[in-house]
């Protein structure tokens, strides 16, 4: 009897980070034949993760083109992945999260009656435009996936409320914690992997570092402008420094460069590879972000997170006290950041709060579920 063939499909840096521990586990497991397809929805940022994790895709669709619309990307992803499925004929398709690649890959599998395993299933913000278009992508996959790997009980409960078969829903934890443990272990053994921030660490010695990421589509325009204004206000303090890997999207980069370039204690840097981003998390006093993944990663290292969004599909962090929603209002962001900078007890409560997102063994649990069929 042949081994079940598992085709893992992804296209962005966050997906790659959360899937490489599972791909490693599948490749090491004699129960499976593992195959990998990347859409390269994000080319350079994806390649960084593939390199550090030593993942060599069997199929690379190279879909990224400048300025393409969501419908153009969706159409190209759907037909490109469909051809790969026809060639590979996998027994399972694995997708992670909520990107256009996830949605297209899952639909292409559904059209061929191939069962879908959805990693990080069940996250819901309750607003179809936040995050956009990810909220709908994730909900859509949730209607027909065969195996739903929910990172937390809250996510599992959301699926059950949508009448998903309870036998198909399993709480596995989030594979991002597997990835973070793996990369921090690599850095400990080989510090040169994350030595690229050494000059900034030296430059900002004696200051508390605030790490910042911002890239959400729903914040483009006024939201991004407000975030830039807030960072500028916070950076007027002489006891802190800001390290800000600026997303390549011109809707973000143009605003941040205009507002923040040239400030002495603000470092606007290029997007970081995964080891260097893990290092940024480690040296930061707190994180300001509109990212989903940072809400999971930073608490694993004891770093409070201020979430610059109106809603989050990861309420567990807010409920546990590791994260706080602050929206994109400039005054609110400044007030909440300064509260954590000036109130040591409030900071300690967030830093010590239990991280609800996993224990580093999620990939093995998912392998066992796939083996059970």
């Amino acid at each position: 009897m042949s081994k079940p063939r598992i085709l893992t499909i992804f296209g962005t840096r966050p997906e790659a980070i959360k899937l490489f521990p599972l791909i490693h586990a599948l490749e090491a497991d004699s129960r499976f034949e593992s195959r990998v397809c990347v859409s390269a929805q994000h080319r350079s940022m994806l390649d960084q993760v593939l390199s550090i994790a030593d993942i060599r895709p069997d199929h690379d669709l190279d879909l990224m083109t400048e300025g393409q619309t969501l419908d153009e990307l969706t159409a190209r992803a759907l037909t490109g992945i469909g051809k790969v499925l026809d060639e590979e004929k996998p027994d399972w398709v694995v997708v992670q999260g909520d990107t256009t690649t996830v949605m297209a890959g899952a639909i292409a599998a559904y059209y061929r009656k191939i069962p879908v395993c959805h990693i990080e299933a069940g996250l819901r913000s309750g607003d179809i435009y936040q995050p956009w278009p990810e909220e709908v992508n994730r909900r859509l996959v949730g209607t027909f996936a065969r195996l739903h790997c929910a990172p937390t009980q809250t996510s599992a409960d959301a699926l059950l409320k949508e009448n998903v078969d309870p036998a198909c829903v399993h709480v596995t934890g989030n594979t991002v914690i597997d990835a973070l443990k793996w990369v921090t272990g690599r850095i400990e053994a080989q510090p040169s992997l994350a030595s690229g921030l050494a000059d900034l660490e030296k430059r900002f010695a004696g200051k508390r570092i605030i790490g910042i990421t911002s890239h959400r589509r729903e914040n483009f325009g006024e939201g991004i402008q407000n975030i830039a204004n807030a960072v500028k206000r916070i950076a007027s303090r002489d006891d802190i420094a800001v390290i800000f890997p600026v997303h390549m999207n011109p809707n973000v980069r143009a605003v941040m460069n205009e507002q923040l370039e040239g400030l002495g204690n603000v470092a606007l840097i290029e997007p970081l590879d995964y080891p260097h981003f893990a290092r940024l998390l480690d040296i930061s006093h707190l994180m300001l972000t509109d990212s989903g993944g940072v809400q999971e990663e930073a608490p694993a290292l004891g770093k409070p997170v201020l979430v610059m969004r109106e809603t989050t599909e990861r309420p567990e962090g807010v409920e546990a006290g590791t994260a706080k929603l602050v929206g994109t209002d400039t005054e609110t962001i400044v007030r909440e950041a300064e509260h954590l900078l000036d109130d040591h007890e409030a900071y300690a409560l967030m830093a010590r709060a239990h991280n609800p997102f996993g224990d580093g063994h999620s990939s093995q649990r998912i392998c066992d579920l796939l083996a059970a069929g």
Side-chain angles (χ1 to χ4, degrees):
M1 183 176 178
S2 62
K3 300 176 183 178
R5 176 175 291 187
I6 314 296
L7 179 66
T8 305
I9 301 172
F10 57 99
T12 67
R13 177 180 182 272
E15 289 169 273
I17 289 171
K18 293 184 176 184
L19 283 172
F20 81 72
L22 177 60
I23 293 170
H24 286 173
L26 288 168
E27 290 177 345
D29 195 321
S30 61
R31 293 176 292 182
F32 305 111
E33 179 186 356
S34 175
R35 305 286 285 173
V36 173
C37 171
V38 298
S39 71
Q41 181 179 332
H42 291 166
R43 179 79 268 172
S44 62
M45 292 187 287
L46 170 69
D47 288 346
Q48 292 172 355
V49 182
L50 295 177
S51 177
I52 186 64
D54 195 26
I55 302 294
R56 296 177 177 84
D58 301 288
H59 303 271
D60 188 334
L61 303 180
D62 198 21
L63 294 182
M64 184 176 181
T65 60
E66 187 173 352
Q68 69 182 336
T69 63
L70 281 173
D71 43 6
E72 288 171 334
L73 172 61
T74 301
R76 295 176 67 217
L78 185 61
T79 55
I81 293 170
K83 292 177 182 177
V84 172
L85 293 177
D86 291 339
E87 178 182 339
E88 290 285 353
K89 296 181 171 53
D91 298 288
W92 281 94
V93 161
V94 173
V95 293
Q96 186 282 325
D98 53 18
T99 68
T100 300
T101 296
V102 170
M103 182 265 289
I107 290 177
Y110 167 71
Y111 285 168
R112 291 158 177 80
K113 298 184 179 179
I114 300 168
V116 173
C117 171
H118 189 197
I119 311 300
E120 200 183 68
L123 277 66
R124 300 289 185 270
S125 73
D127 183 337
I128 64 171
Y129 295 110
Q130 297 200 43
W132 173 80
E134 288 84 356
E135 176 76 2
V136 165
N137 290 343
R138 194 186 292 272
R139 289 195 205 184
L140 179 63
V141 179
T143 63
F144 59 80
R146 175 84 60 84
L147 179 57
H148 304 259
C149 297
T152 66
Q153 188 60 51
T154 299
S155 298
D157 290 344
L159 291 164
L160 298 177
K161 288 176 183 177
E162 295 171 1
N163 297 316
V164 174
D165 182 354
C168 300
V169 179
H170 302 269
V171 177
T172 60
N174 198 308
T175 55
V176 76
I177 308 303
D178 302 28
L180 190 61
K181 288 190 173 186
W182 182 89
V183 79
T184 52
R186 286 287 302 274
I187 294 169
E188 185 176 342
Q190 191 178 347
S192 62
L193 286 174
S195 61
L197 295 177
D199 288 346
L200 286 178
E201 293 180 49
K202 183 177 179 180
R203 171 182 162 189
F204 294 144
K207 297 180 183 290
R208 289 175 292 177
I209 292 173
I210 298 177
I212 299 180
T213 70
S214 180
H215 71 280
R216 294 294 332 145
R217 289 175 183 267
E218 61 268 25
N219 285 342
F220 288 175
E222 183 180 0
I224 291 291
Q225 186 66 56
N226 288 346
I227 291 170
N229 292 337
V231 174
K232 190 172 185 177
R233 290 260 303 276
I234 295 166
S236 66
R237 296 174 58 122
D238 61 10
D239 62 331
I240 67 99
V242 170
I243 298 180
F244 191 161
V246 183
H247 198 274
M248 291 185 292
N249 191 301
N251 291 290
V252 177
R253 184 159 287 211
V255 174
M256 297 307 171
N257 286 343
E258 180 183 355
Q259 294 296 318
L260 304 174
E261 201 166 38
L263 297 181
N265 60 341
V266 175
L268 299 178
I269 61 177
E270 293 300 309
L272 297 171
D273 64 19
Y274 189 43
H276 284 93
F277 189 74
R279 179 62 182 169
L280 176 60
L281 292 176
D282 193 36
I283 65 176
S284 292
H285 185 69
L286 64 96
M287 292 294 300
L288 272 62
T289 188
D290 60 12
S291 164
V294 176
Q295 298 174 53
E296 301 154 346
E297 292 165 310
L301 298 177
K303 311 298 179 174
V305 182
L306 296 181
V307 183
M308 299 182 295
R309 287 163 55 173
E310 303 302 326
T311 62
T312 180
E313 67 278 37
R314 294 166 173 85
E316 300 92 337
V318 177
E319 293 164 5
T322 63
K324 186 170 186 177
L325 277 173
V326 297
T328 58
D329 175 71
T330 298
E331 296 297 329
T332 303
I333 296 170
V334 173
R335 183 180 67 250
E336 295 296 341
E338 294 196 327
H339 177 57
L340 289 177
L341 290 168
D342 297 331
D343 188 328
H344 299 301
E345 184 176 346
Y347 178 89
L349 283 173
M350 289 190 74
R352 292 197 301 259
H354 169 69
N355 179 16
F357 294 109
D359 59 4
H361 300 288
S362 301
S363 297
Q364 187 57 55
R365 294 188 187 99
I366 295 167
C367 282
D368 291 341
L369 290 168
L370 286 168

